């Protein structure tokens, strides 16, 4: 049976910024260990930096729930970096699409370990999140070649390995990620390039266990074309589901696992979700 959400008492923080949430936690306007942890997670998402983590932890020193929630994300990111970087060979050409902080962090760790590799990435129309990836890689000193989306096959076919992020993973083994991701996987399959998904296990979507389909977000048409002539229907899907057969493995804090093994480890790790 689907459980009720208990976060109704925190609705008022939805419009708060990072500093306002910190103030509310400090002044005990947000109280109760679990509510403090939930609010801190929201604040962390608004400001995902090491300084923010330090500040959030300092607000209520007797709150291990808050510390554990924040630590999970950092620990998972660290482990994904450790596992993923091992898969990058010397002077590899590596592909990625869109912007995944988990993938970029893994590249950072690989670089810190002395791995030399070149990243090829696609720009990700219409919002160009691929540029964020390119900018971050440049800052990290990782050589990077940037391609338009329609050059995806050209970008990919000489790559040794591909890494993508995930927005959601469903019990029927589907990884949902930025539009273009399944196309990238199909091209990679054609050229025998292994594809790894880098993701925290929290991307598993428990709602889908209860028969709710994973909804694919369709975004406003003006992101693509501001004033198109009449009679044109603009279709702007933000995400797509990837066929699990096209995924070599999912790299998470649970290990480097096939989609089926990943789901079975998630089932063990989060038994309460399946009741
Ligand atoms: C971003 C996207 C990313 C995942 C994973 O899409 O698809 O691959 O969100 O990101 P959008 P992360 O730009 O529309 O949010 O690894 O940072 O969780």
């Amino acid at each position: 049976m689907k459980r009720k959400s208990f976060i109704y008492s925190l609705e008022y923080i939805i419009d708060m910024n990072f500093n306002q949430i910190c103030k509310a936690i400090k002044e005990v306007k947000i109280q109760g260990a679990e509510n403090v942890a939930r609010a801190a997670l929201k604040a962390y998402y608004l400001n995902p930096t090491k300084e923010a983590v330090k500040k959030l932890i300092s607000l209520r020193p007797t709150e291990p729930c808050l510390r554990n929630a924040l630590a999970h994300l950092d620990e998972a990111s660290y482990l994904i970096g450790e596992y993923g970087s091992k898969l990058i060979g010397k002077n590899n050409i590596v592909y990625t699409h869109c912007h995944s902080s988990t993938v970029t962090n893994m590249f950072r760790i690989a670089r810190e370990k002395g791995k030399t590799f070149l990243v090829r990435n696609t720009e990700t129309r219409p919002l160009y999140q691929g540029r964020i990836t390119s900018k971050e890689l440049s800052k990290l000193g990782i050589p990077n070649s940037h391609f338009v989306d329609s050059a995806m096959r050209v970008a990919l076919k000489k790559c040794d390995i591909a890494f993508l992020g995930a927005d959601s993973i469903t019990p029927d083994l589907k990884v949902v990620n930025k539009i273009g991701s399944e196309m990238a996987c199909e091209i990679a399959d054609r050229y025998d390039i292994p594809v790894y998904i880098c993701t925290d296990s929290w991307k598993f979507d428990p709602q889908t266990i209860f028969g709710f389909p994973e909804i694919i977000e369709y975004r406003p048409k003006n992101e693509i074309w501001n004033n198109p002539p009449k009679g044109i229907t603009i279709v702007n899907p933000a995400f797509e589901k990837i066929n699990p057969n096209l995924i070599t493995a999912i790299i998470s804090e649970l290990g480097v696992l096939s989609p089926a093994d990943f789901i079975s480890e998630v089932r063990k790790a989060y038994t309460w979700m399946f009741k």
Side-chain angles (χ1 to χ4, degrees), residues 121-184:
N121 77 332
T122 22
E123 62 180 351
T124 319
R125 265 191 54 85
L127 297 182
Y128 301 104
Q129 293 94 326
R131 293 182 187 176
I132 304 173
T133 303
S134 289
K135 281 186 199 160
E136 289 183 353
L137 293 176
S138 298
K139 271 196 195 154
L140 292 167
I142 298 172
N144 160 251
S145 304
H146 191 74
F147 293 74
V148 295
D149 291 333
S150 41
M152 187 181 271
R153 193 179 65 87
V154 176
L156 242 168
K157 67 178 182 183
K158 295 249 164 67
C159 287
D160 300 291
I161 189 164
F163 295 98
L164 299 172
D167 286 275
S168 162
I169 305 176
T170 65
D172 58 350
L173 317 183
K174 296 274 169 64
V175 170
V176 181
N177 196 50
K178 179 53 56 187
I179 192 72
S181 294
E182 192 179 54
M183 178 165 55

Side-chain angles (χ1 to χ4, degrees), residues 48-79:
T49 59
K50 279 193 181 145
E51 293 69 40
V53 171
K54 265 192 208 149
K55 175 156 187 184
L56 287 164
I57 288 173
S58 74
L59 298 171
R60 302 288 305 274
T62 320
E63 295 291 6
C65 187
L66 181 160
R67 286 198 300 276
N68 292 340
L70 291 169
H72 172 87
L73 293 171
D74 275 359
E75 176 69 7
S77 209
Y78 165 77
L79 288 172

Side-chain angles (χ1 to χ4, degrees), residues 45 80 96-104 124 127-130 132 164-168 176-179 181 198-200 203 217 219 238-239:
Y45 275 113
I80 293 165
T96 192
H97 179 58
C98 195
H99 172 253
S100 155
S101 59
T102 319
V103 171
T104 310
T124 319
L127 297 182
Y128 301 104
Q129 293 94 326
I132 304 173
L164 299 172
D167 286 275
S168 162
V176 181
N177 196 50
K178 179 53 56 187
I179 192 72
S181 294
C198 297
T199 178
D200 191 293
K203 300 275 181 61
E217 177 188 352
R219 298 193 48 83
F239 301 105

Side-chain angles (χ1 to χ4, degrees), residues 7 32 48 60 70 90 97 164 195 198 212 221 223 231 238 250:
I7 57 167
R60 302 288 305 274
L70 291 169
K90 195 169 179 220
H97 179 58
L164 299 172
V195 176
C198 297
F212 293 93
K221 58 185 180 190
E223 285 182 354
I250 296 176

